[in-house]
Amino acid sequence: MITIRRKKGLILAHSTDDASVTRRDFIYVASGTMAALGAAAAVWPLIDQMNPSADTLALKEIEVDLASIVPGQQITVEWRKKPVFIRRRTPDEIKQAEETPLDELKDPQADSARVQKPEWLIVVAICTHLGCIPSKDMKGEYGGWLCPCHGSQYDTSGRIRKGPAPNNLAVPAYKFLSDTKVQIG
Ligand code: FES
């Protein structure tokens, strides 16, 4: 079940039951607008990113309320017209990410270099192969995300582990404003 609430001009969205989340439950957070898209395998419109509109510029930074996300859940927010996954990782997911030897990685990067707080993983949800949106419903063999377009698989740190994608999911600039609020951008 997805809960939406308004606070200080923002629309805050979260899933209260991860098992109920479907492909249609991509929730986009923007100031004043919201859209739910069934876009698990959609190719992100890269052309749009090359020509930022006034809207895009207006969303240079977004604030996201994390208070209702429990371990194991994730939400998708929109930032600069790109989807961003915010996952509250479980202790097992954190352990798996931290203990993966770097020499097993195609794009070696320590988990500690990709998160500010181990519990929270924040990544741009655009596959580094050809720009599809990885499925939030298919975790693949490494517990992260599977991109349905050509089978790239990411781990619980958003690092590429299998398939044609060359790089890890990008980590956007962000900072925690409090224990339960993060600013992306
Ligand atoms: S676009 Fe994701 S695997 Fe090709």
Side-chain angles (χ1 to χ4, degrees):
M1 177 177 164
I2 303 297
T3 301
I4 307 295
R5 60 195 175 87
R6 293 174 182 273
K7 186 177 180 184
K8 293 181 181 175
L10 291 177
I11 293 176
L12 308 175
H14 68 274
S15 66
T16 53
D17 176 4
D18 195 46
S20 72
V21 177
T22 71
R23 290 185 186 185
R24 290 194 170 275
D25 289 330
F26 289 109
I27 299 301
Y28 289 84
V29 177
S31 44
T33 59
M34 179 192 73
L37 303 176
V43 176
W44 199 252
L46 295 173
I47 190 73
D48 204 26
Q49 300 169 36
M50 296 164 63
N51 299 291
S53 63
D55 273 340
T56 309
L57 295 173
L59 294 176
K60 191 174 169 193
E61 296 166 354
I62 59 168
E63 287 183 19
V64 184
D65 184 355
L66 306 174
S68 304
I69 307 171
V70 300
Q73 290 183 319
Q74 71 174 32
I75 61 171
T76 306
V77 299
E78 183 182 298
W79 169 66
R80 295 186 181 178
K81 295 202 168 183
K82 292 182 276 195
V84 172
F85 288 147
I86 300 176
R87 179 182 288 189
R88 186 171 182 178
R89 301 189 297 185
T90 64
D92 280 351
E93 289 173 336
I94 295 169
K95 186 168 185 280
Q96 188 180 336
E98 291 178 342
E99 293 183 353
T100 299
L102 292 188
D103 61 9
E104 288 184 9
L105 300 174
K106 186 190 284 189
D107 182 11
Q109 193 175 28
D111 183 64
S112 59
R114 296 176 54 77
V115 295
Q116 294 180 20
K117 297 182 178 186
E119 197 172 26
W120 295 103
L121 177 66
I122 301 175
V123 291
V124 175
I126 298 177
C127 181
T128 61
H129 181 219
L130 294 176
C132 287
I133 302 172
S135 169
K136 64 184 290 186
D137 300 316
M138 293 186 282
K139 292 185 172 181
E141 297 170 36
Y142 300 91
W145 295 273
L146 185 148
C147 179
C149 290
H150 312 95
S152 289
Q153 299 195 39
Y154 298 88
D155 67 12
T156 58
S157 189
R159 296 172 298 200
I160 183 63
R161 301 299 299 274
K162 192 173 186 179
N167 298 113
N168 303 331
L169 296 178
V171 176
Y174 68 89
K175 65 180 176 186
F176 284 92
L177 303 176
S178 70
D179 284 347
T180 57
K181 188 171 284 187
V182 68
Q183 176 182 296
I184 300 175

